[in-house]
Amino acid sequence: QVQLVESGGGLVQAGGSLRLSCAVSGRTFSSYEMGWLRQAPGKEREFVAARNWNGITYYADSVKGRFTISGDNAKNTVHLQMNSLKPEDTAVYYCAARAPSGGLGYSLRPPRAYDYWGQGTQVTVSS
């Protein structure tokens, strides 16, 4: 069993930056494939970024070039660095994990792919 706890959300102006953190306990994060997903009010949860068992990263087209997912082995934490934030990035951001499946990158995109979830952290980008 793994527990995920997000932090780092907040209110930021458009063009600003935030770094989200996902503290992983129970197992080392490298034992899992990790993802960040988000859900805006009235919308379905959507894929943002993921890191597979081999360290390969994947991004939604809407955040490519602005967001970076990374892992800190010493702190057993996964980060999501978000730069050049836009009002449309406003959402609750969730950290998620699943056991390595050997699947292709697109298999990390749907929310149903993940077995474990954090409680979420709110990101609000003002215009």
Side-chain angles (χ1 to χ4, degrees):
Q1 190 78 6
V2 63
Q3 292 80 43
L4 309 174
V5 179
E6 302 99 332
S7 62
L11 173 64
V12 65
Q13 289 188 329
S17 299
L18 281 174
R19 188 175 80 156
L20 305 183
S21 298
C22 175
V24 181
S25 60
R27 296 281 296 273
T28 59
F29 76 82
S30 57
S31 301
Y32 294 90
E33 297 184 308
M34 303 295 300
W36 284 96
L37 297 93
R38 67 187 181 187
Q39 188 165 17
K43 295 187 177 181
E44 293 186 351
R45 195 166 298 188
E46 65 175 5
F47 171 77
V48 175
R51 181 182 184 278
N52 78 352
W53 64 274
N54 205 24
I56 298 173
T57 57
Y58 304 90
Y59 298 94
D61 287 345
S62 59
V63 307
K64 200 171 294 184
R66 299 188 298 123
F67 291 11
T68 303
I69 184 172
S70 63
D72 183 334
N73 291 310
K75 296 183 178 180
N76 206 28
T77 298
V78 176
H79 299 291
L80 183 69
Q81 178 67 43
M82 306 186 295
N83 298 328
S84 302
L85 282 161
K86 305 175 181 180
E88 51 264 44
D89 293 319
T90 294
V92 177
Y93 283 70
Y94 296 92
C95 176
R98 74 174 189 186
S101 69
L104 298 177
Y106 66 80
S107 70
L108 286 163
R109 293 178 177 267
R112 66 178 182 274
Y114 296 92
D115 301 311
Y116 305 100
W117 292 85
Q119 82 287 353
T121 185
Q122 176 71 45
V123 172
T124 303
V125 185
S126 63
S127 57

